[in-house]
Amino acid sequence: MSVGKVWLVGAGPGDVGLFTMKGMEVLQQAEVVVYDSLVGQGVLSKIPAKAQLINVGKRANHHTMPQEEINKVLLDEAQKGKRVVRLKGGDPFLFGRGGEELELLTEYGIPYEVVPGVTSPLSVPAYNGIPVTHRDFTSSLHIITGHKRAGKEYDIDFEALVRTKGTLVFLMGVAALSDICSGLLKGGMEPDMPAAILQKGTTAGQKRIIATVSTLKEEVDRQGIETPAIIVVGRVCTLADDFAWYERLPLAGWKVLVTRPRNMISRTAAKLREKGAEVLELPAIRTEALADQTRLHEAFRKMESYQWMVFTSPTGVDIFFGEVKKQGLDIRCLGNIKIAAIGEGTQKKLKEYCLKADFIPTVYDGDTLGKELAEKLSAGDHILIPRAEKGNENLVKYLEQAGALVDDVPTYATVYECSPLIDEKKEFEDGNIDCVVFTSASTVKGFVEGTKGLDYTKVKAACIGKQTKAAADQYGMETYMSEKATIDSLICLVEQLKRSE
């Protein structure tokens, strides 16, 4: 058996946009992913479905697996010939014990690579408007672990740190905040030296407390703080209020769940992130082409008999032309057929095949498509609808009422799925999700399948289209519908919901 390989990959501080391109590339090829608790949910959601998952915990004082066992797991999986990704919060070599994990691999001759990650001592202050260096304030930066072993004194030379006159960043130091501040004061630091504690930086849970070294502990006790958090000490902290940019974004502080088909890249998620939202992008459904495409192949043989072909989703377009290719045909097989598309997304997918829809309804849903297309038909027109197994029944009804002959051909099935990594139900019960975005009735059903037992009256749902809203209404969700059935209109709706809080 050939030996495998291990990649130590830094997942960054939380915002999936700060995950490196190389990290993403390596992750997509992983066969085994060994991950810890500090990896952001956005990055976790990018782990491929086929990968074996091993959770090793690793939060301060709460370790699912001892470090020695983690080292052994990496070795064992690589010796099986697997591509192993050790996914670590932040950067693997900055208080991440990455060096320890490589020792055993080196001893056994296992090949490995290190993919650096964006580290929190730089990125979290940046998201809070704090430049860790500034020529008017400091010319050095010092990163210190604030973690103190139980029953032992700090092995930190606080006097030396004070003499540097640099910016000090303490990681994993929330529980020892009092000891850190008193150590700095005893080391000769001025009591009025600005200091900050930064909670859950680069995520919707971001929070900042600015005080001084002598008052920070008191302020934290008064205002409260959650982990993970970092401590920043230095005069650069005074710049936070002027330079803070993240919280000025329209959706900053909001965590939005976007449900989508697994095989589709979400433009919705990208646009929400541009507005400052933390987006949890989870597959609620998976589309699978049917193994038996006999009916579609029969339709290919009589394409000249159809006056119209109707596409109700981008997936339907992809599968149709995939089968065209498999049958050794090309675009000329369509002849003079006219094409109707349910909306902009489907129209965009048609353009990828050098086709333009002859008709798009004024409202992007199946009912409107059926009603409005029916007005354009002549009695006896023959229509082909290659679409999902369980499609909108009214679409066919309205066309047949207009005298059309309809071949409603199922080409793919919708399978509901939920994330094995993230407990969506618990996220809502803990109040971590501000809003969920639904782009189809099937994603609503997929979400419900993955959150059974949830009190859906607590779910604020932003929906595209009447059918999607109706599906969410069935479960008692607090529903809102975008003015138009477009992604941009949906984003505007989410912004309105946040402003109305």
Side-chain angles (χ1 to χ4, degrees):
M1 181 184 293
S2 61
V3 71
K5 185 172 178 177
V6 176
W7 284 260
L8 262 60
V9 178
D15 181 349
V16 68
L18 298 180
F19 189 36
T20 66
M21 292 175 69
K22 183 169 184 180
M24 187 71 79
E25 180 182 319
V26 169
L27 185 60
Q28 291 307 304
Q29 301 299 318
E31 294 174 300
V32 179
V33 178
V34 182
Y35 66 98
D36 62 49
S37 301
L38 289 175
V39 176
Q41 290 181 329
V43 175
L44 290 177
S45 70
K46 300 297 182 184
I47 296 175
K50 67 182 188 322
Q52 176 189 345
L53 305 172
I54 302 175
N55 180 7
V56 296
K58 300 291 289 181
R59 219 181 249 280
N61 300 321
H62 299 286
H63 293 184
T64 302
M65 186 182 292
Q67 185 64 50
E68 294 73 19
E69 287 187 32
I70 296 172
N71 303 346
K72 187 71 165 52
V73 165
L74 298 178
L75 175 64
D76 290 346
E77 294 300 326
Q79 287 180 327
K80 295 174 186 175
K82 301 287 184 66
R83 295 174 60 91
V84 183
V85 168
R86 171 68 173 105
L87 195 58
K88 304 167 74 71
D91 179 88
F93 279 2
L94 186 66
F95 304 130
R97 303 185 76 171
E100 296 173 50
E101 293 175 351
L102 294 187
E103 289 172 0
L104 195 62
L105 299 177
T106 301
E107 181 183 340
Y108 281 83
I110 302 295
Y112 55 79
E113 289 186 33
V114 179
V115 182
V118 174
T119 187
S120 62
L122 304 180
S123 56
V124 171
Y127 266 55
N128 281 274
I130 299 175
V132 290
T133 63
H134 188 294
R135 63 185 302 173
D136 294 337
F137 295 94
T138 182
S139 58
S140 66
L141 165 67
H142 309 271
I143 303 169
I144 309 104
T145 176
H147 181 65
K148 187 170 79 169
R149 293 189 178 183
K152 294 193 176 182
E153 291 297 314
Y154 263 130
D155 185 22
I156 296 175
D157 189 339
F158 285 105
E159 289 185 17
L161 288 176
V162 173
R163 284 197 302 271
T164 67
K165 297 183 181 179
T167 302
L168 309 178
V169 180
F170 293 86
L171 306 186
M172 302 173 287
V174 175
L177 177 60
S178 180
D179 291 336
I180 291 170
C181 291
S182 63
L184 291 170
L185 291 169
K186 288 175 184 175
M189 183 167 280
E190 300 168 15
D192 64 351
M193 177 63 71
I197 193 160
L198 311 176
Q199 167 189 298
K200 297 181 179 178
T202 80
T203 74
Q206 180 167 307
K207 177 181 176 180
R208 176 175 66 252
I209 297 176
I210 303 283
T212 66
V213 174
S214 58
T215 61
L216 185 59
K217 178 64 168 68
E218 178 186 340
E219 281 301 309
V220 167
D221 289 342
R222 186 173 67 84
Q223 297 185 39
I225 207 80
E226 297 175 12
T227 58
I230 69 171
I231 301 159
V232 183
V233 180
R235 301 208 178 277
V236 289
C237 293
T238 61
L239 299 171
D241 289 341
D242 290 334
F243 291 174
W245 58 272
Y246 170 73
E247 55 250 47
R248 294 177 189 148
L249 297 174
L251 292 177
W254 254 38
K255 188 171 183 179
V256 180
L257 174 63
V258 174
T259 57
R260 59 168 174 80
R262 175 174 285 280
N263 58 343
M264 293 185 70
I265 297 170
S266 178
R267 205 160 52 92
T268 310
K271 285 180 173 288
L272 287 167
R273 289 189 181 108
E274 282 178 16
K275 300 285 187 177
E278 178 185 357
V279 180
L280 184 53
E281 193 177 359
L282 295 177
I285 58 174
R286 183 177 73 254
T287 54
E288 295 180 347
L290 298 180
D292 183 2
Q293 297 285 356
T294 304
R295 289 191 59 198
L296 183 60
H297 298 164
E298 289 173 356
F300 289 164
R301 290 191 284 273
K302 56 179 182 179
M303 287 300 293
E304 72 283 351
S305 71
Y306 295 108
Q307 282 71 51
W308 283 90
M309 179 160 55
V310 178
F311 288 110
T312 60
S313 71
T315 299
V317 176
D318 275 336
I319 290 175
F320 178 87
F321 286 103
E323 290 299 318
V324 167
K325 185 177 180 180
K326 286 179 185 177
Q327 293 299 302
L329 304 171
D330 62 29
I331 201 168
R332 289 172 295 181
C333 74
L334 299 183
N336 294 320
I337 197 169
K338 291 183 178 179
I339 298 174
I342 197 168
E344 285 184 2
T346 306
Q347 161 83 310
K348 184 179 178 182
K349 180 59 68 174
L350 283 166
K351 287 180 178 178
E352 292 180 16
Y353 295 93
C354 300
L355 292 169
K356 184 179 179 182
D358 297 285
F359 175 75
I360 298 176
T362 55
V363 177
Y364 303 159
D365 62 39
D367 284 13
T368 308
L369 174 60
K371 289 175 184 176
E372 294 184 354
L373 182 58
E375 295 173 2
K376 296 181 172 294
L377 301 179
S378 301
D381 275 356
H382 202 180
I383 300 176
L384 173 62
I385 310 179
R387 61 172 180 167
E389 260 185 330
K390 298 176 181 177
N392 183 330
E393 295 176 0
N394 288 337
L395 170 60
V396 174
K397 183 181 76 174
Y398 290 131
L399 297 176
E400 288 181 338
Q401 285 175 350
L405 302 172
V406 180
D407 285 352
D408 187 9
V409 178
T411 61
Y412 65 95
T414 299
V415 180
Y416 302 124
E417 63 179 14
C418 58
S419 170
L421 286 160
I422 298 164
D423 188 340
E424 295 173 69
K425 180 171 177 281
K426 189 173 187 302
E427 286 291 310
F428 277 94
E429 289 173 343
D430 292 347
N432 294 333
I433 305 289
D434 297 285
C435 177
V436 59
V437 168
F438 294 120
T439 55
S440 68
S442 60
T443 58
V444 175
K445 293 168 187 171
F447 168 74
V448 170
E449 284 290 317
T451 56
K452 288 179 179 176
L454 177 64
D455 179 0
Y456 294 108
T457 61
K458 296 179 179 178
V459 175
K460 184 177 291 185
C463 306
I464 275 188
K466 293 177 183 177
Q467 291 170 349
T468 305
K469 183 179 184 300
D473 283 334
Q474 286 181 350
Y475 298 98
M477 297 181 199
E478 182 185 336
T479 60
Y480 302 87
M481 187 176 77
S482 57
E483 186 175 335
K484 298 178 181 177
T486 64
I487 300 301
D488 287 338
S489 183
L490 184 64
I491 304 302
C492 287
L493 172 62
V494 176
E495 289 186 64
Q496 290 167 12
L497 293 177
K498 184 176 186 293
R499 284 196 299 268
S500 66
E501 274 199 329

